Every structure is written in C-alpha cells, then in structure tokens.
Amino acid sequence: MPRKIRELIQDLTQAGFRGIAGGKGSHGKFTHPRYRGAVTLSGKSGDDAKHYQEKQVRRAIEEIQE
C-alpha cells in the first residue's frame, strides 16, 4: 500500500527540510541547506505517493545525513 503525500512531507520536515515558495498548484517544493536543489512533490496531501516520489524523498534524506 503506497504511503500518502502527507507522510512524505512529514518525513522531510522532520529531517529539517523547509517548504519554499514556487510550488504551482498541487506541487510543493522543499529545500535543505545541505541538499543541492529541491525536492518537488506533486499531489494533494491525501493522495497516494508515487513510487518515484518515495524514492526521491528517501534519497534526499539519506544525502543530508551523510
């Protein structure tokens, strides 16, 4: 069962990512001082996350923890 977008956002914020302006419509962008670029998540908070979104969030969190 896929995770929800809200769960991915919660993972990012707990890791220190902050939401930034620039997301368009249902897109949200999150950045961290130690992460190059931004993580963009599309979809409403109650939507199921796509496999690639879960993978992107996991890799971003792993990268800042190194």
Side-chain angles (χ1 to χ4, degrees), residues 37-58:
V39 178
T40 303
L41 295 176
S42 62
K44 297 178 183 173
S45 65
D47 291 347
D48 290 341
K50 307 281 191 232
H51 176 70
Y52 70 88
Q53 291 172 316
E54 293 185 47
K55 191 173 179 180
Q56 182 184 23
V57 168
R58 185 172 50 249

Side-chain angles (χ1 to χ4, degrees), residues 2-61:
R3 300 178 68 208
K4 300 292 184 185
I5 296 293
R6 76 172 74 86
E7 294 173 313
L8 299 183
I9 293 171
Q10 184 179 11
D11 291 348
L12 287 170
T13 55
Q14 287 177 350
F17 282 80
R18 298 287 174 235
I20 59 172
K24 195 170 186 182
S26 63
H27 288 68
K29 292 175 102 176
F30 298 86
T31 187
H32 190 281
R34 291 184 290 186
Y35 184 73
R36 185 182 296 195
V39 178
T40 303
L41 295 176
S42 62
K44 297 178 183 173
S45 65
D47 291 347
D48 290 341
K50 307 281 191 232
H51 176 70
Y52 70 88
Q53 291 172 316
E54 293 185 47
K55 191 173 179 180
Q56 182 184 23
V57 168
R58 185 172 50 249
R59 283 187 178 174
I61 292 172

